[in-house]
Amino acid sequence: MRNLSRCYTLNVDSLHCVDMSTWSPETNPDGKLIEMHGNVLETVCESQDEPHLFPFDPSRMKCMAKGDVPKCKICGEKIRPRVMLYEDENGENICEDWESQLELDVPKSDLFLWIGISFKQAASLEYFREVRRILMSSSTNTTVGSLPYHIIINPDKTVAENLESALCRDAHSEIKYGRFKS
């Protein structure tokens, strides 16, 4: 029986965090959860040198709701929710270098679960392509049957079409469809 090696998540609502320690390359390299797009229960300052992380604080949130921008008590930079936004200039402060960890995790994995992802956004398709790229570059045998399975769990009918269009030129992909009622 295999165990979960790591959970990469795009969620920012923290509902997925039950009993999982959050990964950090410096403070918790064995953490099971990588929050690629951040977490609404934390705030971060916009320091370019060393961003400071703070737990969610209702008074800070009230300040933000009024249009005021709270400042970091350590460095004086602006504080914002630790959530990745579209075209985010300060995205590097949201999650540490998870791409390097992905490069290490993917070759050791024998199954990938993609839960709830629709592959409608370009970024989610890029994550899927990146996992496939790492697999192909780390595998000595690149035939379809030798690669790990990807299981996609999402009731949306367009998921398979979105993924198929993203992989249309990938000779190493074999997509099998299965739709089930629970």
Side-chain angles (χ1 to χ4, degrees):
M1 174 182 255
R2 294 289 199 144
N3 294 322
L4 172 71
S5 60
R6 196 144 357 250
C7 175
Y8 289 77
T9 180
L10 305 176
N11 292 342
V12 296
D13 55 18
S14 300
L15 294 176
H16 55 285
C17 296
V18 178
D19 293 331
M20 281 192 186
S21 61
T22 302
W23 171 87
S24 169
E26 284 113 26
T27 60
N28 191 15
D30 295 327
K32 296 290 186 198
L33 179 70
I34 294 184
E35 298 171 315
M36 296 163 56
H37 287 188
N39 179 329
V40 295
L41 298 181
E42 294 175 334
T43 55
V44 64
C45 76
E46 294 183 351
S47 169
Q48 296 301 314
D49 298 325
E50 183 181 338
H52 303 100
L53 222 62
F54 303 98
F56 178 81
D57 179 353
S59 65
R60 226 179 265 129
M61 188 52 102
K62 286 179 186 176
C63 179
M64 288 179 198
K66 286 190 251 177
D68 297 329
V69 180
K71 303 281 185 183
C72 177
K73 292 177 182 173
I74 299 168
C75 67
E77 292 291 334
K78 296 177 188 175
I79 290 181
R80 58 171 276 183
R82 192 177 75 86
V83 175
M84 179 73 74
L85 304 170
Y86 286 103
E87 299 181 27
D88 198 338
E89 294 175 8
N90 293 306
E92 65 275 358
N93 291 352
I94 301 306
C95 184
E96 298 177 73
D97 185 21
W98 59 266
E99 292 97 340
S100 296
Q101 189 61 45
L102 186 71
E103 291 272 350
L104 298 172
D105 287 343
V106 167
K108 298 184 283 188
S109 302
D110 57 6
L111 175 68
F112 297 89
L113 294 175
W114 301 83
I115 302 172
I117 196 165
S118 67
F119 298 109
K120 288 180 184 175
Q121 295 79 18
S124 61
L125 287 169
E126 282 306 310
Y127 298 140
F128 189 89
R129 286 184 189 120
E130 182 62 10
V131 167
R132 296 281 299 162
R133 184 199 63 75
I134 295 168
L135 282 171
M136 299 306 284
S137 66
S138 64
S139 178
T140 55
N141 185 359
T142 57
T143 58
V144 173
S146 68
L147 295 172
Y149 285 102
H150 294 263
I151 297 175
I152 301 158
I153 301 171
N154 188 326
D156 187 334
K157 295 176 184 178
T158 64
V159 172
E161 295 165 9
N162 296 339
L163 195 54
E164 192 170 89
S165 68
L167 297 174
C168 65
R169 294 187 187 109
D170 186 345
H172 300 288
S173 295
E174 180 181 345
I175 299 174
K176 294 184 180 180
Y177 302 100
R179 292 201 34 131
F180 306 95
K181 291 185 179 184
S182 61

